Amino acid sequence: MCGSCCRNRREAILMTGADIFRAAKALGVSVEEVLPKNFETYVGEDSHVPLYVLAERLDGSCRFLRKGRCLIQQDKPAVCALFPLGRFFDVRDNSFHYFLNPDRCNAGQVEGKTWTLEEWLDEFHIRETEAMTATWHKLLTRLAEVTCWMKKEDICGDLLEDLRRVLYLGYDTGAPYIEQVEARIPSALDVFKRK
């Protein structure tokens, strides 16, 4: 927790819908309020779905970093919480796989402490949030199965806004996230039928 990885990162931090939901809830604001101030959006190169990354200040530091501390420490994005681990979600069997990130620092290393994977994941309740992220990935995957075959330039206007709405917007931070995502899966497919 030295904060070094919260400044001047070489790669953007890709957010999941669950990450954005948890950040909004931690700050006590709606998803619609947290998005424009703290995240930047673009259309994915391969998936052709709208994606969000964590925005940086002009000095290259994270928007959630204040006086060297994270404003959403206990609900920070999974990428941040996991570092120096990385993870990927395998849609074939809906499982997460973890690996040691080649870009790691030793600034926060505790002398003589060796962490197990479970200890590291427990530190920020990663196992508890995996279900949220897995459910969101199911929705994202269903959409990307269609959008990846479309021309990227055709993902614009009303269709782009519909995709943003299904993936990120209108989630109630006072209600269970997983139920809200699962309820959107049928309507996500309707987006394509209508368009």
Side-chain angles (χ1 to χ4, degrees):
M1 294 190 299
C2 65
S4 295
C5 58
C6 303
R7 297 175 183 88
N8 298 313
R9 292 184 55 87
R10 285 184 287 172
E11 294 181 18
I13 296 177
L14 186 62
M15 306 296 292
T16 67
D19 289 328
I20 294 167
F21 177 87
R22 290 175 59 240
K25 187 171 183 170
L27 294 169
V29 300
S30 70
V31 172
E32 288 76 10
E33 290 175 84
V34 81
L35 275 173
K37 296 176 187 173
N38 301 291
F39 304 100
E40 296 171 1
T41 188
Y42 67 98
V43 174
E45 206 52 50
D46 297 321
S47 66
H48 299 168
V49 295
L51 301 171
Y52 282 90
V53 294
L54 195 54
E56 295 179 345
R57 291 192 192 97
L58 293 176
D59 67 359
S61 64
C62 173
R63 294 275 175 103
F64 293 119
L65 190 65
R66 296 283 190 283
K67 297 181 182 178
R69 307 288 297 172
C70 180
L71 289 176
I72 56 172
Q73 180 68 11
Q74 291 306 310
D75 289 297
K76 62 186 172 181
V79 169
C80 302
L82 285 168
F83 189 79
L85 298 179
R87 98 175 156 187
F88 70 91
F89 181 71
D90 189 338
V91 297
R92 295 172 299 183
D93 64 358
N94 296 324
S95 64
F96 287 96
H97 301 274
Y98 295 90
F99 56 91
L100 190 58
N101 193 323
D103 294 328
R104 58 184 181 265
C105 75
N106 294 322
Q109 186 174 351
V110 177
E111 194 72 29
K113 170 71 175 160
T114 301
W115 294 79
T116 68
L117 176 62
E118 289 307 316
E119 286 173 331
W120 195 258
L121 297 179
D122 286 347
E123 185 71 19
F124 290 101
H125 314 287
I126 297 299
R127 292 284 192 213
E128 295 168 24
T129 61
E130 276 183 347
M132 293 172 67
T133 304
T135 305
W136 183 80
H137 270 288
K138 288 177 196 173
L139 173 61
L140 177 74
T141 301
R142 297 289 297 271
L143 294 171
E145 286 172 350
V146 176
T147 57
C148 73
W149 297 103
M150 298 172 70
K151 292 180 183 174
K152 186 177 175 183
E153 58 270 14
D154 290 342
I155 309 292
C156 61
D158 288 343
L159 176 59
L160 181 60
E161 288 313 306
D162 284 342
L163 291 170
R164 277 197 185 108
R165 203 170 4 269
V166 168
L167 286 166
Y168 306 102
L169 302 174
Y171 286 92
D172 178 357
T173 58
Y177 181 72
I178 292 173
E179 293 170 15
Q180 293 179 74
V181 175
E182 287 174 342
R184 290 177 182 224
I185 292 174
S187 64
L189 303 177
D190 288 341
V191 165
F192 296 114
K193 289 177 186 173
R194 283 186 284 117
K195 302 295 177 187

